[in-house]
Amino acid sequence: MKLSEYNRKRDFDKTKEPKGKVKKTEKELHFVVQKHDASRLHYDWRLEIDGVLVSWAVPKGPIADTTVKRLAMHVEDHPMDYIDFEGTIPKGQYGGGTVMVWDTGTYLAEGSDDVAESEKMLKKMHKDGNIKVVIHGEKLKGSYHLVRMSGKEDEWLLLKGKDEYADKKEFDQHSVLTGRTLEEIENDKKSDIWQSNKEEKNSFHGDADHILDEEPEIPKKKNTKKVTKSKAEAETSEKPSFTAEDVADAKPLKTFPTAWKPQLATLADAAFDSDEWIFENKYDGYRALIQIHKGKVKLVSRNSLSFNSKYKDLVDAFSGIKDDMILDGEIVVEDEKGLSHFQWLQYFAENPGRGKLKCYVFDILYFNGYDLTSLDLLQRKRILEAILPQTDEIIYSGHVVGEGIKAMKEVEEKGTEGLIAKKITSHYHVNKRSKEWLKIKVTKEQEMVIGGFTEPKGSRSGFGSLLLGYYEDGKLQYSGKVGTGFNEGSLKDMYEKLTALEQKTSPFAVRPKEPKVHWIKPELVAQIKYSEWTETNSLRHPVFIALRTDKKPKDVKKETAISSPAPLSSEGKIASVGKTKPKKAKAEAKSENTEDVKPKKPSAKATEKPIAESKSVAAKTKAPAKKSSAKAGKRGWDTEKVEVTHPDKIFWPKEGYTKGDVINYYDEMAEWILPYIKDRPQSMRRTPNGIDKEGFFQKNVAGSAPDWAQTEKIHSDSTDEYIEYLICNDKETLIYMANLGCIEINPWSSRLGSLDNPDYIIFDLDPNETTMANLVTTAKKVKEILDSLSIKGYLKTSGGKGLHIFIPIKPKYTYEQSRDFSHIISQAVNNALPKITSLERMPKKRIGKVYLDFLQNGKGKTMSCAYSLRPRDGATASTPLEWEELDEKNFTVKNYNIKTLPERVKEKGDLWADFFDNAVDLKELLDKLG
């Protein structure tokens, strides 16, 4: 259907709906589902295809239940601008009634991860009347099918595809844009989202006499929080303003820039004084760009991930702003003393009552059609302060001019993370790291008593880590390990001192759960540098500095933070900011290529700093329904790198297994798992609330992975952007993933250095309501065919209902070639066993058969690795098998689980130990097949 039909039905002088124009997007395909209360309540399902929104009316609405089918009536195409239409269509007009943006996001054709390929597939699918897509919305996720009914032109069926998102849940009935109900949208006609026919307020359009002297009026919303300043304060305080002169150099833009990424700072070693620089607080949270466009708010991470669903209160707070703008800020969670806690922020969704969620805003990049990035820093900050509403959640981040050393002492005494220094005349460099912005971190130091040491690993000599502690009530309390800060000489010297003090018993009040520990008499005191105390009273990011001979071990206590004489104000400014007037900056040529910054070194006196730390808060968790078999004490898992949180959280309600049990499992099984995930990007499937709750996939860890973790930026062809993947090469990273809720481990089929070339081929045998006998018969047929080609097939359970067969190959060939080989073998199996196997993708067409899924061989597609747990009933694991164990009478996948695997590997060892030694040449195999 053409847009002419859409335009013909509407009088655009009476309705705020957008006029029909074809408008193609480039990097993503979008969808929207709008809840529409017209003559009858229904939902409009719209997919972007060839520059328009192809549309269906679904009377009973979307589902997540695979057993339910919904009637979907094909209606006229809508323009792309309709994707964020929310408001009221006047009575008497076509479709008159209230419209809500019920859900929106991106999607691709099923079986494709490329936008261009998806577009071609979708055109054909639409023509053929059989559309299969994978949705990435805030409510709708995973596979959905639209199928035209036989003999009908406009009557289609909407179905949910079988995947991990299939459920019988009820959906939230609020707008994903504004959080409003239909009734609230209908009653709030003055604040309709669609603004195309309204006069833009406070924009830069017009002549040079245009002046914005007042803060833009923010319409009152139901969720708007109390403003920080009182009315009296607001009337008497001096308000900053900006004029057209301030934006004379700003560049007009025709389209809203959704792809911008934040400017990054360069690390500097010390604070300094300079009249050419300002100094802002460095916040311990998530960096975010706040995109506000046509009333829709998007909180976007530094690598373009959405924070909207995670921090909905901030979305509500920013939704009161009606001007289009892009702001730069930091999302934090603070305690009652105003100190931020990064761990609270990470787990805010699980514990929303712990701390106060805020966003400190320190820059503005765009305002009502103008690019502000070419303006000087202080010009941008003046504009920002003038237009930014001050609420409990939204806070303007102030600064001091010139006095960096004084500012550094203040943040050290307060116990915050450090400073950001910015050159006054600097422009904003989108998606670049600049030496015109510097980050200066506060480091904390404290004495610690050494109570033991671990054995070295790999090529390291002497010892692995020192076990540290402090005295409390006369007892030595464990505070974690330190393994960094040594060289070969200091390792040898320290090792001699340690061995001279060895004893058989632990000196700690509670014996740390660490393997292969040598205990020593607690007579050595070490000076340790660290970032903060964790909630379990361990040091975070400790580094060894030196031994102390001037302090007795019994005098080593956990030091508490001193009160700050100059705390941060309620508006986030360093206290002296309000009285500090900017000094005139020296003229400087404006250039993209700036010289290296050489900060002045502070005096020794100026760098003396007190020991500052956050007050430890014990995590409170409810007792599990069934006693966990987790190790006694949470500290047993904590290393110098990873702190485990909420180990008693129930992950399997039926069996009573906990998050702690998962971490125990990966702690014990690390040596068996690591060979199969080393150097491979991880697509993390996180299930932080257990198997009964919907999980999610996380690929991009930029801005969230700890500094010590190995990551790799990989280009995505579908989005033309870089994704920063986690690389798991050690136990600490494996435990870190498990602590995030990764019950399942999903590596790529290729490694760093040869990412386009997989080193194994996968045969995924997926039973669809068939018998174990058919599954076993199919697996043995695959083995029979592989044996005829002199190929060793490696067998394992999927951890679900099926089986996997892997073939190691030399990483010289493409994913397409590996998929072609898997397809050839799968066709041979299907030809031999046509009654019990199938290559048909639609589940309903292969009921009672084993699906031979050769499409799992694709770049970026992942499969649970050997020994990975699965978020399934029984806590099953993907387990390597001997072919002789495949007995259709006695074999059951539930025998291989979180409890049986550790004992199994002790008995049988790794059945895949020779896997990579038997890599075959794929070309030779294809030549054999002729």
Side-chain angles (χ1 to χ4, degrees), residues 272-279 377-378 400-403 421-426 436 583-588 597 600:
F272 58 95
D273 287 343
S274 173
D275 292 346
E276 297 179 358
W277 294 72
I278 69 166
F279 300 88
L377 172 64
L378 286 187
V400 294
V401 179
E403 300 181 45
K422 298 178 180 179
K423 208 161 192 177
I424 287 174
T425 55
S426 64
E436 293 181 318
K583 300 177 183 178
K584 189 174 181 180
K586 295 179 181 179
E588 181 180 25
V597 177
K600 298 176 185 178

Side-chain angles (χ1 to χ4, degrees), residues 87 208 231 234 470 475 585 622 680 701 706:
K231 184 176 181 180
Y470 59 90
K475 297 180 180 180
K622 295 180 180 179
R680 300 178 189 274
V701 297

Side-chain angles (χ1 to χ4, degrees), residues 202 207-214 241-244:
N202 296 329
D207 57 66
D209 293 328
H210 174 76
I211 298 176
L212 177 60
D213 289 324
E214 295 182 1
S241 63
F242 70 92
T243 70

Side-chain angles (χ1 to χ4, degrees), residues 108 169 184 378 430 466 493 531 625 632 655 684 713 788 897:
L108 290 169
K169 66 181 181 183
E184 288 171 335
L378 286 187
V430 172
L466 303 177
D493 181 61
S531 61
E655 294 83 3
M684 294 192 294
K713 290 184 178 179
S788 69
N897 56 55

Side-chain angles (χ1 to χ4, degrees), residues 297-328:
V297 177
K298 289 185 179 180
L299 306 178
V300 184
S301 78
R302 56 183 282 187
N303 284 87
S304 303
L305 294 178
S306 174
F307 284 138
N308 278 36
S309 59
K310 198 169 185 179
Y311 306 119
K312 292 180 179 178
D313 287 351
L314 289 181
V315 175
D316 289 343
F318 281 106
S319 66
I321 300 174
K322 296 305 177 188
D323 292 281
D324 285 0
M325 62 182 73
I326 298 178
L327 309 173
D328 192 356

Side-chain angles (χ1 to χ4, degrees), residues 448 468-472 475-479 508-510 635:
M448 282 285 150
L468 306 175
Y470 59 90
Y471 278 93
E472 188 176 84
K475 297 180 180 180
L476 187 63
Q477 305 296 330
Y478 181 60
S479 61
F508 295 100
V510 177
R635 235 178 250 149

Side-chain angles (χ1 to χ4, degrees), residues 21-77:
K21 296 178 182 179
V22 175
K23 184 170 69 174
K24 291 187 178 182
T25 58
E26 296 179 358
K27 295 185 177 180
E28 292 179 316
L29 294 175
H30 298 82
F31 83 96
V32 66
V33 176
Q34 287 159 316
K35 190 174 182 179
H36 188 178
D37 189 7
S39 56
R40 293 180 62 184
L41 180 66
H42 65 279
Y43 296 74
D44 295 313
W45 181 288
R46 312 190 196 279
L47 301 177
E48 176 186 357
I49 301 177
D50 204 21
V52 299
L53 292 173
V54 179
S55 303
W56 292 261
V58 183
K60 294 187 178 181
I63 68 296
D65 188 349
T66 58
T67 65
V68 177
K69 299 175 183 178
R70 292 286 198 239
L71 176 66
M73 297 299 295
H74 208 329
V75 296
E76 75 271 20
D77 296 343

